[in-house]
Every structure is written in C-alpha cells, then in structure tokens.
C-alpha cells in the first residue's frame, strides 16, 4: 500500500496534474474545493449580483454510491451518474447542484474513501465550464454530525454551508444534518444560524431577484406543520426557520433525501423535494430536476434519466409567474 501510494504521487508529478490515482487526485482536485470561505469560488459575487437574463440549472440529489448493493460495489450508481453527466454536458446548465448523500458510506466506514474517489472521478467528467456544487447529506456527515465528521467532509467536498450569487439570484446552501440533529455539533448549528440571518439580510438589501435555498433534508414533505418523521426537519427547529425564510421572501427550498419527489408550500415559498440520481425508494425513476429561473419566478420539472429532453430552450420574452 505504501509503495502504491508513493508510486501514485510520482505518476501525478510526472503527468503534471493529470492524475488518475485515487488518493492524490482526491486531495488536489480543485473542482471539489470551490466551496470555501462560505462562498463558491466559480461565481464572482459582485458581478453575479446583477440580473442578466433567464437561465436554467440542474438540481440532483442522492447519488449515494453503494446504496444499491449495500456498499459492496457501485456499478449501478456509476452507470446512472455517467448518464447524468452526459445530460449535463449536452444541456449545458448555468450550474449543477447535488443535494447530498453523495456516497452511501459515512466518513468512518471502510468503503467511504473508494466511494468518494469514484464520485470525484465520475463528476470530474462534467465540462470544466459548468460549475458543480456539492451539498452535504446525512450520509456525508453522519446522522448526528460532529465537528470531526464535518471536517472530513470539507476535505473532500469543501464547505458544508455557503452562499453564491448567479445572475441576480442569491443561492444559499445549508448543512441540514445539524438542523436534523444538532446534539453533537450545537456550535455548528448556532454559527450557521447567525450566518444565515446575515445572508438573508444581505440578499434582501442587494435586492436579489430570488433567494433560493438548497439542502439535503426537506424542511417538510407536503405540509409545513406536518408531524416530525425521518424525512423532515423537527418542528422545534422547522417552525422558526420557516418564519425566518418567509420573512426574507425566500422563493424556494430544494432538497433530496426522500429518494422520490414531493412538493409543498409555506406561504409563497415552495418546498421542492427531488428524487434520486441513484436508487429510487418510490415510483419516481432515477433522474434529476431542471429549474428555469425567470426574472419574476421559477419553473421546474423532474426528469427520469431516460426522458430528459435533447435541449432546453428558454423563452426570453414571457416570464413565469
Ligand atoms: Zn439522506
């Protein structure tokens, strides 16, 4: 193993950065370290605060390498992700966001590293001009995250919560696992909460056309006051958060975790839960969502992997909602 690693490093140096060996590639791949300093480096904050024109992005969730086979392998996930990447490179969205459970194994699991390496390999095939935003899920930081599990995630995928502007729209990514269960990382939840309030205020002050949020766990599946269950955020933290998001006029929250689609509203805010790229747990097939952002609203639709259109045409003269 030692020999293999040393050899890998040599191969990396010899090929000046074009590296296929698992471990060094994971550490050096800049594509997966774009979420840093609580922002996403591919997008210039100043420039992107101005509305330009309608655009679309692709929202995915639960690639969850290893889920089909109980961590024995990940052939089916590889196949699905490669098909998703083909769609990404053909459709050319403004960005792609993967809303958590990137792998099935959690950081302390023996299969974690190889699943992460495969995720990196497959998503490295996304055209370099299309930013790929990764969001942490409960499998990525654990059902009860700790400072250590979050640090582990950051090494592989960058910040666990951050915000970025795209063409006049403020996008806020949260670590929803600490909202689900903050017991072992209360300081992370508190820091995220303070930071979120600042982000919402800044977005309102900068007159964002829309504020969109992204996280792994749905705040709720269908009704904003539905009882607590595995797939939603407990009411104790959900209710005050929803009040805060409504107050800031957040347009929509996008999530995954449910492995099927679900939709609800809280006031005028949409709660959109998107099915999996990986293994489905309901009738919705593996796929992803395409979201078109107009000046006055958004439109979105989930597509099964076999049904994705060849091309996305955006009507620039008429506006949604
Ligand atoms: Zn999950």
């Amino acid at each position: 193993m030692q020999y293999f690693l040393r050899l890998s490093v040599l191969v990396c140096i010899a090929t000046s950065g074009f590296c296929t060996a698992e471990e060094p590639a994971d550490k050096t791949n800049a594509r997966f370290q774009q979420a840093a300093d609580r922002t996403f480096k591919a997008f210039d904050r100043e420039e992107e605060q101005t509305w330009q024109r309608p655009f679309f992005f692709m929202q995915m969730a639960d690639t969850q390498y290893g889920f089909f086979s109980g961590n024995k392998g990940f052939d089916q996930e590889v196949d699905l992700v490669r098909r998703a990447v083909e769609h990404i490179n053909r459709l050319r969205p403004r960005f792609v966001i993967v809303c958590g459970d990137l792998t099935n194994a959690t950081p302390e699991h023996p299969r974690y590293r190889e699943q992460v390496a495969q995720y990196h390999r497959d998503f490295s095939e996304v055209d370099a001009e299309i930013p790929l935003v990764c969001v942490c899920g409960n499998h990525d930081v654990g059902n009860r995250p700790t400072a250590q599990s979050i640090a582990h995630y950051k090494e592989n995928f960058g910040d666990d919560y951050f915000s970025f502007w795209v063409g006049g729209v403020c996008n806020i990514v949260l670590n929803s696992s600490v909202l689900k269960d903050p017991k072992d990382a209360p300081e992370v939840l508190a820091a995220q909460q303070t930071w979120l309030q600042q982000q919402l205020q800044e977005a309102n002050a900068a007159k964002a056309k829309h504020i969109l949020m992204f996280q792994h766990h749905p705040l709720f599946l269908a009704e904003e006051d539905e009882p607590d269950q595995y797939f939603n955020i407990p009411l104790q933290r959900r209710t005050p958060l929803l009040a805060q998001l409504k107050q800031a006029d957040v347009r929509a929250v996008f999530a995954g975790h449910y492995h099927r689609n679900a939709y609800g509203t809280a006031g005028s805010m949409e709660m959109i839960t998107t099915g999996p790229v990986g293994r489905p747990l309901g009738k919705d097939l593996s796929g992803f969502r395409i979201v078109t952002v107009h000046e006055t609203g958004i439109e979105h639709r989930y597509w099964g992997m076999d049904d994705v259109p060849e091309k996305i045409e955006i009507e620039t003269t008429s506006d949604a909602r």
Side-chain angles (χ1 to χ4, degrees):
M1 190 62 184
Q2 278 293 327
Y3 174 72
F4 171 71
L5 290 181
R6 270 193 219 120
L7 184 64
S8 305
V9 171
L10 284 174
V11 170
C12 286
I13 294 165
T15 53
S16 12
F18 185 77
C19 180
T20 52
E22 286 179 17
E23 198 157 350
D26 291 349
K27 296 283 180 239
T28 56
N29 197 333
R31 157 147 249 162
F32 300 99
Q33 290 299 323
Q34 293 277 302
D37 305 323
R38 303 288 173 222
T39 188
F40 195 84
K41 293 185 167 175
F43 294 108
D44 184 285
R45 223 175 169 83
E46 297 267 296
E47 235 169 71
E48 295 290 346
Q49 285 194 356
T50 310
W51 173 260
Q52 289 156 357
R53 63 189 76 80
F55 63 91
F56 76 95
F57 65 88
M58 290 160 74
Q59 185 233 348
M60 305 187 171
D62 299 284
T63 47
Q64 212 163 328
Y65 283 76
F67 189 31
F68 273 110
S69 66
N71 288 331
K72 289 189 184 72
F74 35 59
D75 289 354
Q76 282 173 276
E77 286 88 357
V78 168
D79 179 56
L80 288 161
V81 169
R82 287 183 181 166
R83 289 166 66 197
V85 169
E86 280 173 22
H87 290 308
I88 295 169
N89 288 339
R90 184 186 70 256
L91 297 173
R92 306 196 67 75
R94 193 68 210 284
F95 65 94
V96 181
I97 186 160
V98 187
C99 285
D101 284 358
L102 312 176
T103 64
N104 189 51
T106 48
E108 74 284 356
H109 191 282
R111 293 292 172 89
Y112 177 69
R113 282 181 98 77
E114 58 180 302
Q115 293 179 7
V116 168
Q118 190 62 43
Y119 180 97
H120 282 184
R121 264 197 295 276
D122 293 340
F123 277 100
S124 292
E125 298 299 321
V126 171
D127 189 300
E129 287 178 5
I130 304 170
L132 172 78
V133 184
C134 301
V135 179
C136 67
N138 55 306
H139 283 257
D140 306 303
V141 294
N143 280 323
R144 184 178 288 177
T146 62
Q148 196 185 12
S149 71
I150 294 168
H152 209 130
Y153 173 81
K154 288 168 89 164
E155 274 177 36
N156 292 307
F157 296 105
D159 279 352
D160 56 329
Y161 62 91
F162 52 96
S163 67
F164 58 100
W165 285 74
V166 179
V169 175
C170 179
N171 302 283
I172 299 176
V173 171
L174 289 189
N175 175 345
S176 61
S177 298
V178 291
L179 279 166
K180 180 72 178 172
D181 187 348
K183 237 187 181 132
D184 288 346
E187 70 293 347
V188 177
L189 178 61
Q192 176 173 262
Q193 200 48 42
T194 306
W195 172 89
L196 172 62
Q197 188 54 31
Q198 280 168 3
Q199 299 308 303
L200 294 172
Q201 280 167 358
E202 278 178 36
N204 287 149
K207 301 205 175 346
K209 288 290 176 191
H210 312 290
I211 304 174
L212 304 180
M213 296 196 44
F214 300 89
Q215 56 188 52
H216 179 62
H217 296 78
L219 294 171
F220 57 90
L221 294 172
E223 303 292 338
E224 62 176 300
D225 57 354
E226 69 195 18
D228 294 354
Q229 53 122 309
Y230 175 74
F231 289 107
N232 63 24
I233 295 295
L235 280 161
Q236 188 192 350
R237 286 177 289 285
R238 188 198 318 163
T239 307
L241 181 57
L242 281 173
Q244 189 182 12
L245 303 187
K246 286 179 189 172
Q247 168 80 26
D249 200 21
V250 170
R251 172 79 55 190
V253 178
F254 293 89
H257 186 53
Y258 193 41
H259 291 252
R260 67 211 102 164
N261 294 306
Y263 306 95
T265 54
S268 61
M269 188 187 87
E270 287 187 74
M271 179 66 241
I272 301 154
T273 302
T274 293
V277 170
R279 181 180 169 187
L281 292 177
K283 64 174 175 40
D284 298 310
L285 301 172
S286 301
F288 52 79
R289 186 171 303 279
I290 296 180
V291 184
T292 306
V293 182
H294 299 271
E295 191 166 6
T296 56
I298 62 168
E299 292 175 298
H300 55 89
R301 179 170 168 183
Y302 185 79
W303 297 91
M305 212 62 86
D306 292 333
D307 305 321
V308 184
E310 268 306 297
K311 214 175 160 187
I312 301 296
E313 308 255 19
I314 299 180
E315 192 70 64
T316 48
T317 45
S318 71
D319 237 342
R321 274 195 300 137

